[in-house]
Amino acid sequence: MRQILIQLTTTLCVATALLCTATTTPAADDLFSSDSLKQVFNPAPPQTATPPSPPQQSPVQPVPPQQPPTQTQPPSRALDPAEIPNFLMLMGYQSEDLGDGVFKTTLKKGEWNLPYAFVISPNKAQFWVTLSLNTLQEGVSIPAEKMQKMLNFNHQYGPIHFAYSEKTRRIYVCRALENDGLNPAEVKKVIEVLAELAINNEDLWNHTKWQTAQQPQQPQVQQQTPQAPVQQQPTPAHVGTWRSTAPDNSTFQLTLNADGSFVLYHVHGSKTDKSVGRYTLTGNNLTLSMTETDKLEAYFTWYNNGTWRFLMKDAQPGAQGLLFAKA
């Protein structure tokens, strides 16, 4: 009986256990997850999320570019021709009005007297500083060698340059400055540089220094072949008495005799100086010798109208000399 109860109790316990298992154990494919094995090994394609629509924006109106502020042109600082004398006075220079807006001043540098001219261009854009150097005599032209060296000078020192006026036969050295806010100190420096370059390059512009200078030739008197009896040679054209008036109104009277002697009178005011001696005339070189050491050496330039010019070889640049005519 006891064994029957034990077996019955055991049977009930087993049945109860199976019943509990049947009600609480999940399906085999739901042991570890709530998803089915079919879903695990054959998952559904993921759904693509629809992106949110961007918020509508109101159209942006174009902003016009900002215009830069209008700049007012600065007032002109150009020098007027009438202001040139006062401008030169700021540099300590007195000037002379030559007319047509041209002003002249002469500066001394050592033994040199340097004549400058100042003028403003017609369009008032440039202020010209010009140093007058030398006037070529009639019949004298610039040799090609000197012309080439002048061009090389212009290339080396530009904008400073040599210039030549066919009208006046004069050689210049010039510099043009921008006529806008001219500085007196800078202009004075240009004046000094022009003087220095002119003096240091005298051999370029002073025709008395040119070894190949083309001096005007004295017209030769045609001589006839002497027939028997021998005829006397005509008197040379330079023989005779000649007179000249200097810029200071003093007068010179020079008698050149055929025997090579001369007599010179210089009258200035109430005073008269007399000099006598011997002379030589070789080509265009005239030498008056009072003594062995007291001599005057000059260029003798003959003109077709019967006059001739006496120019000392050591004359200052731009000197005109004396023009003699028959007394």
Side-chain angles (χ1 to χ4, degrees):
M1 187 67 176
R2 180 179 179 87
Q3 291 180 346
I4 294 172
L5 291 174
I6 294 172
Q7 291 178 354
L8 179 60
T9 302
T10 302
T11 302
L12 290 174
C13 290
V14 171
T16 302
L18 290 175
L19 180 62
C20 293
T21 302
T23 58
T24 61
T25 301
D29 58 357
D30 196 30
L31 182 61
F32 303 105
S33 171
S34 60
D35 296 332
S36 66
L37 291 177
K38 183 177 181 180
Q39 289 178 339
V40 173
F41 291 101
N42 189 21
Q47 295 183 357
T48 302
T50 303
S53 300
Q56 294 185 355
Q57 297 182 355
S58 58
V60 179
Q61 297 295 330
V63 179
Q66 293 184 355
Q67 298 294 331
T70 303
Q71 297 183 356
T72 304
Q73 294 294 334
S76 174
R77 297 184 297 165
L79 193 67
D80 190 77
E83 299 173 327
I84 293 179
N86 291 335
F87 182 73
L88 295 177
M89 288 184 64
L90 295 176
M91 295 177 276
Y93 303 145
Q94 297 290 335
S95 61
E96 175 187 356
D97 188 352
L98 300 182
D100 296 328
V102 181
F103 294 86
K104 173 187 175 183
T105 186
T106 300
L107 306 181
K108 187 170 182 62
K109 185 177 180 66
E111 61 180 5
W112 296 84
N113 291 319
L114 305 172
Y116 288 85
F118 305 90
V119 67
I120 294 175
S121 61
N123 62 359
K124 296 187 177 182
Q126 294 177 319
F127 178 78
W128 281 90
V129 182
T130 302
L131 175 56
S132 179
L133 298 176
N134 188 33
T135 300
L136 298 183
Q137 299 178 3
E138 293 292 337
V140 176
S141 58
I142 303 177
E145 176 191 3
K146 299 301 179 182
M147 181 68 73
Q148 184 178 8
K149 290 184 177 181
M150 287 183 181
L151 293 176
N152 184 67
F153 175 97
N154 294 351
H155 176 74
Q156 182 177 357
Y157 294 103
I160 295 176
H161 63 278
F162 278 110
Y164 172 74
S165 170
E166 186 176 5
K167 180 179 179 180
T168 62
R169 297 185 57 80
R170 183 171 288 273
I171 299 175
Y172 306 89
V173 63
C174 318
R175 170 70 192 274
L177 301 170
E178 184 178 356
N179 184 22
D180 184 15
L182 290 170
N183 186 303
E186 295 179 358
V187 176
K188 188 171 185 178
K189 181 63 177 178
V190 170
I191 293 173
E192 294 173 351
V193 170
L194 290 180
E196 181 178 355
L197 290 176
I199 294 173
N200 293 340
N201 295 275
E202 182 187 5
D203 61 307
L204 296 185
W205 54 265
N206 189 348
H207 70 271
T208 64
K209 303 288 185 180
W210 297 342
Q211 295 180 358
T212 59
Q214 303 170 359
Q215 296 291 342
Q217 299 296 321
Q218 178 181 352
Q220 299 179 355
V221 179
Q222 295 183 356
Q223 300 180 2
Q224 297 179 353
T225 304
Q227 303 292 331
V230 177
Q231 298 180 356
Q232 185 178 2
Q233 296 295 327
T235 302
H238 67 271
V239 172
T241 300
W242 307 85
R243 287 197 182 96
S244 176
T245 301
D248 62 354
N249 292 326
S250 63
T251 59
F252 293 82
Q253 178 174 298
L254 176 61
T255 300
L256 301 176
N257 298 312
D259 62 356
S261 63
F262 77 91
V263 180
L264 174 63
Y265 290 94
H266 180 208
V267 180
H268 47 101
S270 59
K271 184 179 178 181
T272 300
D273 295 326
K274 178 181 179 181
S275 302
V276 296
R278 306 288 298 177
Y279 77 91
T280 58
L281 179 59
T282 305
N284 298 103
N285 298 295
L286 175 63
T287 302
L288 304 179
S289 302
M290 282 67 73
T291 64
E292 288 293 329
T293 57
D294 191 8
K295 297 181 180 181
L296 294 177
E297 295 183 348
Y299 291 105
F300 180 97
T301 305
W302 185 268
Y303 299 112
N304 293 331
N305 61 359
T307 62
W308 56 276
R309 188 175 298 278
F310 179 95
L311 178 63
M312 295 292 295
K313 290 187 176 181
D314 59 352
Q316 293 291 335
Q320 298 295 319
L322 295 171
L323 183 65
F324 281 90
K326 204 82 173 202

